[in-house]
Amino acid sequence: MGSCRQIAAQLVAPGKGVLAADESIATMSGRLEKAGVEATAENRRRYRELLASTPGLADGASGIIFCDETLRQAFADGTPFANAVRGLGILPGIKVDTGAKPCCGLPGETVTEGLDGLPARLAEYAEMGAAFAKWRAVYLITDELPSAGAVRSNANALARYAAACQEAGIVPIVEPEVLMDGDHPIERCAETTAEVHAAVREELGLLGVDLAGIVLKPNMVVEGADHACRATPERVAEATVGVLRAWPDELAGIAFLSGGQPPGRATANLEAMQHHRTPWPLTFSFGRALVDPALAAWHGDPALVAAGQALLAERVAANANAVRRRARMQAA
Ligand code: 13P
C-alpha cells in the first residue's frame, strides 16, 4: 500500500502529467493507416519508440501508459520499453482492460472487460517493470443513457480492477470516461459525470481501495461535440471542479483524459482549472491531445522522427506549464 501511495504521488508530481500511448492494436492500427503508415507490429513499435524517446520528455511526463503489445516490445537497441523509459526517468504503465464490450441486458451500452485472470496478468506486468495500470470505462450520453445498470456495472469493474492492482503493488489509474458524443449541453455532462463518479466512489469504498494510492482519470465536463456552442475554459473549469469536489481530500490526484478535444482547447481548459484551489493536484493524462500532431508530422518517415518528437515535446511542455502555474499560485 505504501509503495502505491508513493508511486501515485510521483505520477501527479507538480508540473508533470502522464502520456497515454496505450491504444489497443486495432485502434493504433486505424490511426497509423489514417496517417498513411502501414499497420504492422514493427510500425507500432517504431511509433511508440519515437514518442517515448522524445528528448526532454521526462521534464513534463511522469509516466507513459503502454498496451500489452508495446510492453513486450523493445527499443531498436534491444532495451525493453519498460526498462528504456525507466532509464529516461519515466514510470512505465500498462493498460490492463480488454476493452469496452456490449453487455447483455444493456442494449446500446458497454461494460469494460478484463477481470478474468487479472491478478496473474498484474503479477506478470509487475515482473516486467510496470509501476501503474489503467482501466477505462465509457459512458454514452443520450436522452435515456447512461442507464443505471451501465453506471453500476462499470463502477463495480473499475473497483475490482483497482483493488487487484493495489494488491499487486501497482497503482491503478481509474478512468470513468463520459463520452463527448452527442449534442447535449454542458449541464447534462456535469450531471452524468457526477452520477458516474458517485457510483465509482461507492464501489471503491466497498472494496477497501486506498484513494491515496490511485489516480482518477476523468473526462473534463464539456458540452457534447455536436452542441451548438463551445463553453469557455472558465466555464469548463468551474463545472469540472464542481463535480470533482465530491472526492475526498486523500485522493492522490486527478489526471484528465482529452477525450477528442482539440489539443489547444484541452490545454486551455486544464490551465483554467489551476485557478481553483483543490485538495488534489489536477493534471493531464492525454492521449490524442498530445500525440496527434506528432503522428501527423512523422507519418512513418524515418527522416521525420525528430519533427514528430518536437511536436510532442511542444504539447507536453504546454500542458506541463499549465499545471506548473498551479504550483506557483498555490505557493503564493
Ligand atoms: P485521450 O486523451 O485521447 O482521450 O486518451 C486518453 C486515454 O487514455 C483514453 O483511454
Side-chain angles (χ1 to χ4, degrees):
M1 212 65 116
S3 86
C4 278
R5 288 186 173 196
Q6 260 173 7
I7 294 165
Q10 231 175 302
L11 286 172
V12 296
K16 298 217 179 175
V18 175
L19 168 58
D22 60 317
E23 300 90 343
S24 65
I25 292 177
T27 302
M28 192 65 242
S29 297
R31 289 187 187 161
L32 285 177
E33 276 164 2
K34 213 171 139 214
V37 187
E38 199 191 340
T40 61
E42 174 56 13
N43 282 340
R44 289 189 293 273
R45 190 205 67 72
R46 287 170 61 223
Y47 170 63
R48 263 61 178 259
E49 178 168 351
L50 174 158
L51 299 178
S53 62
T54 292
L57 189 64
D59 295 343
S62 54
I64 305 184
I65 321 174
F66 296 120
C67 67
D68 181 88
E69 179 185 60
T70 311
L71 204 70
R72 295 178 193 283
Q73 292 176 323
F75 272 27
D77 70 3
T79 314
F81 268 81
N83 298 351
V85 301
R86 273 191 192 267
L88 293 167
I90 299 172
L91 292 170
I94 175 76
K95 186 241 305 285
V96 301
D97 68 66
T98 56
K101 304 281 166 61
C103 178
C104 296
L106 301 174
E109 295 183 284
T110 59
V111 172
T112 299
E113 294 188 355
L115 290 170
D116 287 353
L118 182 58
R121 286 197 290 131
L122 288 169
E124 188 192 5
Y125 290 139
E127 190 74 21
M128 291 167 80
F132 69 100
K134 177 191 116 167
W135 180 290
R136 170 177 175 258
V138 295
Y139 308 84
L140 184 65
I141 294 185
T142 69
D143 286 347
E144 293 82 32
L145 304 180
S147 68
V151 169
R152 183 56 60 185
S153 304
N154 276 300
N156 177 258
L158 276 166
R160 289 176 64 191
Y161 141 80
C165 284
Q166 289 189 337
E167 194 149 320
I170 288 185
V171 169
I173 291 189
V174 172
E175 182 177 4
E177 176 176 8
V178 176
L179 296 169
M180 284 174 64
D181 304 33
D183 62 0
H184 50 272
I186 190 170
E187 292 79 10
R188 177 93 170 91
C189 178
E191 169 193 301
T192 305
T193 305
E195 181 193 346
V196 161
H197 286 196
V200 171
R201 269 193 307 277
E202 192 181 324
E203 297 285 339
L204 290 171
L206 288 171
L207 295 194
V209 173
D210 177 25
L211 295 183
I214 75 166
V215 173
L216 179 70
K217 176 163 172 169
N219 52 284
M220 296 181 184
V221 173
V222 289
E223 71 291 331
D226 299 327
H227 189 67
C229 40
R230 296 278 157 268
T232 61
E234 291 70 30
R235 177 81 184 96
V236 170
E238 183 189 276
T240 305
V241 174
V243 167
L244 293 173
R245 292 233 181 261
W247 285 90
D249 292 6
E250 67 256 34
L251 181 68
I254 293 172
F256 295 99
L257 58 93
S258 60
Q261 299 180 70
R265 186 183 187 205
T267 306
N269 288 341
L270 182 66
E271 183 174 349
M273 311 244 190
Q274 310 306 321
H275 296 267
H276 293 259
R277 268 188 189 273
T278 56
W280 2 257
L282 296 168
T283 187
F284 60 95
S285 177
F286 298 159
R288 287 162 286 178
L290 292 178
V291 302
D292 277 359
L295 175 57
W298 169 62
H299 61 77
D301 184 344
L304 292 171
V305 166
Q309 290 180 326
L311 288 171
L312 173 63
E314 190 183 306
R315 292 312 319 151
V316 171
N319 289 290
N321 283 336
V323 296
R324 251 167 229 143
R325 225 150 263 149
R326 167 198 193 76
R328 284 201 296 275
M329 273 182 333
Q330 309 232 337

